Amino acid sequence: MAVSILLYTFGLQFPESTFGNYVIFITTVLLLVILFLVYALYNNKRNSDLLQLKLQLQKEQNLAEYNTALISQDTARRTLIHDIRNHLLSISILNQQKRYTELDQYIQALIHSEQLAPSIRICDNTLLNATLLRYQTFCHTKGIRFEVAIENHSIDFLSDTDLTALFCNLLDNAVTAADKVPSGWISLHVELFSPLHGILITMKNSCMDRPPQNFRHEWLTTKKESSTHGFGMKSIRRIADTYHGELQTAYLDHEHIFQTILTMYPQKEQVTHAHSDL
């Protein structure tokens, strides 16, 4: 509206002037460029804020679910400790009565009870542990085999935001693909790239078909709402660049496996040193 009024004003001042028409044209172009830049900056800032909010919510959700699971497990163990005298008394009675079959069943039931389940600990990083626990639970409900090995202190240099974005995007993609395969599986390994203090992340998952690619050989999302998806791999690549690393992906046709290999370093100097040693 403002542009139209301005152009109309210029038109009244220079009704038949070539110079006036020239000024109007230049002004129009400049205003349109300015409006486009303002919109682009606003839209970029809005998308960035939404992404940060989404990552923060994801982080809080992971930690909340993890803490809930810890509280539940702690409550169960306290209950077992409270009832331990009764359990021992029952075991003693069964033993005295030589009811060995029932005694064995009773002991086995205690051993496999929720109260004596192993601690909910997949890795030494609390935030990543919470994230992995959530995906492990989801994979269990879907019948997806979930194998994880995270070397201690390997991801200490990653910020919480990058840590959440990286592993949630990696695992989201893997779960989406593995869920479409009978007896699907996911394997995630993170190890130190000693002595360079970098890390090597290897993700493999079953994948029935080769994902589509664009003309730049970038992987495209297979989800229905493509306008709101498909940014996961771009986010992973951005994080790899942030930590002076490299991202390599491949689909192994004969094995129906999608593979992601990611290297990252806490400092750029270590990358230069690594390349010089090759």
Side-chain angles (χ1 to χ4, degrees):
M1 183 65 181
V3 176
S4 301
I5 295 175
L6 187 58
L7 293 178
Y8 179 74
T9 303
F10 272 108
L12 290 178
Q13 292 180 358
F14 308 100
E16 299 179 355
S17 171
T18 303
F19 175 75
N21 292 334
Y22 179 74
V23 171
I24 291 175
F25 175 76
I26 295 298
T27 304
T28 302
V29 173
L30 289 176
L31 285 174
L32 290 175
V33 170
I34 291 172
L35 288 174
F36 176 79
L37 290 175
V38 169
Y39 174 79
L41 290 173
Y42 169 78
N43 194 52
N44 185 61
K45 178 65 166 58
R46 179 174 173 273
N47 289 339
S48 178
D49 291 342
L50 288 175
L51 177 60
Q52 293 298 321
L53 178 60
K54 181 179 178 181
L55 291 175
Q56 184 62 30
L57 290 174
Q58 183 72 71
K59 172 184 173 183
E60 292 177 1
Q61 178 187 356
N62 290 343
L63 289 175
E65 292 182 5
Y66 176 60
N67 290 333
T68 300
L70 286 180
I71 292 172
S72 176
Q73 187 180 60
D74 183 64
T75 301
R77 287 182 176 177
R78 287 177 181 272
T79 302
L80 176 64
I81 293 173
H82 179 269
D83 295 337
I84 194 68
R85 183 176 181 277
N86 294 329
H87 289 306
L88 291 175
L89 181 60
S90 296
I91 291 173
S92 176
I93 292 174
L94 291 173
N95 183 59
Q96 290 174 6
Q97 296 177 353
K98 299 182 179 181
R99 296 158 60 185
Y100 299 124
T101 300
E102 295 177 55
L103 174 61
D104 181 67
Q105 292 175 348
Y106 194 98
I107 293 175
Q108 290 300 318
L110 283 177
I111 291 175
H112 294 93
S113 66
E114 179 184 350
Q115 293 93 328
L116 292 178
S119 299
I120 305 172
R121 201 70 179 168
I122 301 176
C123 71
D124 65 331
N125 182 281
T126 302
L127 178 57
L128 180 57
N129 195 68
T131 301
L132 294 175
L133 176 64
R134 184 168 66 87
Y135 281 97
Q136 183 185 62
T137 302
F138 181 79
C139 287
H140 179 73
T141 61
K142 289 286 188 176
I144 300 173
R145 181 163 54 87
F146 189 64
E147 175 194 340
V148 183
I150 311 293
E151 190 168 348
N152 287 344
H153 304 295
S154 58
I155 56 170
D156 289 351
F157 64 89
L158 295 178
S159 69
D160 287 350
T161 302
D162 289 337
L163 182 70
T164 301
L166 175 62
F167 286 96
C168 283
N169 279 311
L170 281 172
L171 291 168
D172 275 342
N173 293 339
V175 167
T176 299
D179 191 31
K180 299 176 183 178
V181 181
S183 302
W185 57 271
I186 297 172
S187 174
L188 172 63
H189 288 228
V190 181
E191 54 188 308
L192 286 167
F193 213 19
S194 184
L196 307 173
H197 306 292
I199 58 173
L200 173 65
I201 300 176
T202 305
M203 164 78 84
K204 293 183 179 181
N205 60 269
S206 52
C207 184
M208 183 64 72
D209 301 307
R210 172 180 286 272
Q213 293 176 283
N214 61 19
F215 67 95
R216 292 191 296 268
H217 302 290
E218 297 172 337
W219 302 106
L220 302 176
T221 181
T222 57
K223 297 179 180 178
K224 294 181 179 180
E225 299 179 1
S226 58
S227 60
T228 57
H229 297 288
F231 298 100
M233 197 60 71
K234 293 180 181 179
S235 179
I236 295 171
R237 190 174 298 279
R238 176 192 63 79
I239 295 171
D241 292 339
T242 300
Y243 292 93
H244 328 294
E246 293 183 2
L247 171 66
Q248 297 180 353
T249 58
Y251 180 73
L252 310 179
D253 296 272
H254 298 296
E255 302 174 56
H256 297 285
I257 294 175
F258 191 87
Q259 176 178 277
T260 302
I261 298 177
L262 183 64
T263 56
M264 293 189 294
Y265 304 85
Q267 296 179 5
K268 189 174 182 179
E269 290 75 11
Q270 291 169 328
V271 182
T272 304
H273 177 63
H275 289 167
S276 65
D277 288 345
L278 296 178

